[in-house]
Each structure stands twice: as structure tokens, then as C-alpha cells.
Amino acid sequence: MSIPPQMKLVATALVSVLALFGCSDASVTAGGGCGGTGCPVPSSGSITNFGSIYVNGVRYDTTSATFTHNGQPVTESQLERGMVVSVLPESVVLGSNAVAASVDYASILTGLVEANSVTVAVDPLRCLATGGAITAIGQAVQVNEETLFINAIDPLVDSVGAAVSCYDGIGIDDRIEVSGFSDGHGSIFATMVRLLERGAATTSSVELSGVVSLFDEPNMLFNIGTQSIDYSAATQVPAALADGLYVRVNGTMDAGVLRADSLLQEGDGDIGIEGNEDNEAELYGVVTQPYSSGYFTLNGQRVQVTVDTELGEDEDDGIALGVADLVAGTRVMVDGHLVDNLLVADELEFHAQASVELQGTVQALNPLTTTLSVAGQSVTLNASTLMIDESAGSDHIFAFSEIVVGDSVSVDAYNSIATGGLVATRLERY
């Protein structure tokens, strides 16, 4: 059976025997030089909850973990749901609980909005981004129902159903921060967009990660996507600066040109996975170049599909999918191994987008099964459920134990073949 691409976006309910492999800027060193099996593998994915930290269906104890944001030390409380982080576990992850040694977050973009074509849908409790893009620093930031907006929306609506504030309220020259998955060439699939400042000065500092193109050494210019970058005044410049190098640019905007203060090579300079030959790896993200003749690109990493690659029926949802479904924008998980910077897929896993929305008050709770009843239906929450608390007095941590009968909630869920019932991908309390 095949379903339209828009129904195949991955819900955040990915539970893996091994941690997923990748990083927010699509580059990470595997195993810290420990090759093959039996080594801790960095897990990359968007944060779904705190109280330690939940990523890709795994709860990581962060009691002794270090945290960084763009390479600078931070605390856990400075991170947000929806941020794509790289979590290095202290040992191989064998279940849904682990201990984190480090949690690293790097935004893909911080800068001023140039255009906003986001489309929205307003329902009785909230407004959702249903598509479109925000353009910033020459990059097209694609959004959908799974994108989290921070500081940019009041989810309440007025008496006639119009949103008090919504995603399309982000305006030109507003300063935003973006996390998600990038192809490195101007297209970003956002998991989080955070409004930092409204009507920011055009001289505000900006940051951008991407792949160098149109390199013009004599004039000290290059592009990332459609954004022209002048590095003539940069104090730091990689010696290997050339087309194809994956870099991070810090600077300011000047008449449409990004004037770089510094350029840093990201990882080994390749947007794909870093690692040792035959390292086992799992990569979660977005298809950035569709399948063709045995290959596709995921988060900028080239992936090979062979006759031995397992794909087809999804464990949770019973949906039979094939290589024709590997189209741009589809989120998948690849379990495989590295060969000459190529990720050879041993298994592809597709997950269906949430297809059921429930709204109303919580009618019953079962702490033993982490199940609640809304609108007459029972829904199970798990470690992958994105939990958002918009109620008065909410804090950073929002656990199932804090939900009480009578709470007003909105729940997105899918029908699970494995459990025979609804499983929540997202729960919001108002």
C-alpha cells in the first residue's frame, strides 16, 4: 500500500535499540574513535520533553551531562522542545532509558526574516502551521504541523475563532533562531523556530551553517544557498575553504550581503556523517534529495539502498512503503554502516504522520499505562510524545504525573497496529 507524501512525515515516535546517529548540523564523530559494534553512538533528534531529556523515544538521565549551545556551555534549562540535539550516551543504548555524557545543540540559522509565506489553520484551541516557508538569510525554512514555534504564538483564540497571535505574525526583520534538518544548500526543514526579537536592527548579528558554493577567492565571496557572503574582514577562515566545504558563518547583514566576522569549518568539513570505516550508524532526519537509481540523501548524507536493505511495513503503523516513497520532506530512520563516507542502509523505517486530533478535557487517567481519555477515546503517551504545557504557571518539565482530570488538552495521535489503539505524538495542555 502507498500513501501520499504528506501523510508519511515521521511522527516523533522513533524507538530504537541503538541510539540514532547524527547531529543538528548533520555532522558528528561516531564513537569517539571507537569503531564497529559495542561503542556508544551519538543520538540525534528533536527534544520532546524534559525531566532529564527525551530524544527519539529514549529518556536520557542528564544528572552528570554537559550541555553546549553553538559550542558554548549552557544549562539544560536553556534548551527548548523541538531543538535538534546530539546526545552522546555513556554506554550503548539498549532500551528506552540511558545516561547522557553530553548534550550538544547547534542552531542552523539565527537571523532576520526576509519573507513569510506560512499557511495556518485555526481550530478551537490553537493554530497550526500547515505549510509554507519563512525566508531568512537566503534560506527557505520549511514548516509544517510538526514545527514548534517558541515565543511566536499565543495558542488561545478569540470568541469568533480568530487566533490572537499566530505563526504568520512573524514579520520582516524579526530575528529568529531555527533548528531542524538542512540540505546545506538553502533548504531547511524546521523542527523549531524561536522568535528572538521583533523588528530587530538590520545590523543584528547573524549565524548560518551550510555548504560553500560559488566560491570566488579573488573577491573573497561565496554563497550558502542564495545568500552571498563576503569574508574579506573575517578573522577566522578555514584553510580548506572551497566549494563543498561545510561551514558556520558568524557576522552581520549589510545591504543583503552577509559580512562574515568569522568562518568555522563544521566537523571534518563534510555535511555527511563522520565516522570510522564500517562504523554502525543510525541516522534520523529528512529526505533532502529523493531516491534515484539506488541512492537518496538524508540531511545531506548520501544513502545507498541495496537488495539487502530491509524496508516496507512499518512496525508501529502497518504501512507498506517502498523506495518510491523516499521523496523530499519525508522523515525516515536509516540503520546502516559507513563505507567510504557512504551510509549503506541495512534497514529503512518509515513512520506515519499523526492522523487523529482530539480536543477537550481529560476524562480519566491511568498512570500504570500512561493512558488518558479525551473526547471518549483512550490515548497512550510514551517517551516519544511531545508534551507542551501552555497553562498558567507551567514550567520547563511537563510529566504525565502533572496531568489531572479536567485539564483542557489537544492531542495528536496515530492508530498503532502494535498496541491496537491510539498513541499520542503530541499533547498540549492549555
Side-chain angles (χ1 to χ4, degrees), residues 188-277:
I188 299 169
F189 296 84
T191 55
M192 184 211 75
V193 176
R194 175 159 63 173
L195 177 63
L196 299 177
E197 183 181 0
R198 289 204 179 274
T202 54
T203 55
S204 297
S205 62
V206 299
E207 296 178 312
L208 177 62
S209 291
V211 176
V212 174
S213 64
L214 302 179
F215 181 57
D216 180 358
E217 186 172 15
N219 292 304
M220 306 187 80
L221 298 169
F222 65 88
N223 271 31
I224 293 179
T226 62
Q227 180 60 56
S228 177
I229 298 165
D230 180 339
Y231 67 96
S232 59
T235 56
Q236 292 176 286
V237 178
L241 187 62
D243 282 343
L245 190 71
Y246 189 45
V247 298
R248 184 174 191 84
V249 184
N250 294 272
T252 56
M253 298 299 296
D254 178 12
V257 176
L258 200 172
R259 308 288 180 184
D261 297 325
S262 67
L263 300 178
L264 297 175
Q265 178 176 302
E266 292 276 32
D268 66 354
D270 186 344
I271 193 172
I273 295 173
E274 299 174 30
N276 300 319
E277 184 76 4

Side-chain angles (χ1 to χ4, degrees), residues 236-409:
Q236 292 176 286
V237 178
L241 187 62
D243 282 343
L245 190 71
Y246 189 45
V247 298
R248 184 174 191 84
V249 184
N250 294 272
T252 56
M253 298 299 296
D254 178 12
V257 176
L258 200 172
R259 308 288 180 184
D261 297 325
S262 67
L263 300 178
L264 297 175
Q265 178 176 302
E266 292 276 32
D268 66 354
D270 186 344
I271 193 172
I273 295 173
E274 299 174 30
N276 300 319
E277 184 76 4
D278 292 326
N279 251 21
E280 291 186 357
E282 292 191 17
L283 179 63
Y284 165 66
V286 174
V287 175
T288 48
Q289 291 185 17
Y291 176 85
S292 177
S293 302
Y295 300 88
F296 70 98
T297 302
L298 189 69
N299 305 348
Q301 169 67 50
R302 197 164 188 237
V303 181
Q304 181 181 24
V305 180
T306 72
V307 293
D308 296 321
T309 303
E310 296 181 18
L311 72 162
E313 184 170 300
D314 177 274
E315 292 180 353
D316 291 331
D317 306 298
I319 298 172
L321 301 172
V323 293
D325 300 300
L326 294 169
V327 297
T330 300
R331 297 190 192 183
V332 298
M333 184 271 286
V334 177
D335 182 356
H337 58 280
L338 291 171
V339 177
D340 294 330
N341 296 320
L342 177 70
L343 179 57
V344 180
D346 299 320
E347 181 181 359
L348 295 179
E349 192 171 328
F350 295 82
H351 283 245
Q353 183 181 5
S355 56
V356 176
E357 181 183 353
L358 304 173
Q359 292 186 347
T361 58
V362 175
Q363 298 162 319
L365 293 163
N366 187 335
L368 295 178
T369 59
T370 59
T371 300
L372 55 80
S373 295
V374 179
Q377 297 200 55
S378 179
V379 185
T380 299
L381 279 60
N382 60 25
S384 293
T385 303
L386 177 62
M387 297 183 63
I388 305 168
D389 190 5
E390 298 284 359
S391 62
S394 62
D395 57 22
H396 208 52
I397 299 171
F398 179 31
F400 181 89
S401 60
E402 297 178 41
I403 302 172
V404 299
V405 172
D407 279 348
S408 294
V409 297

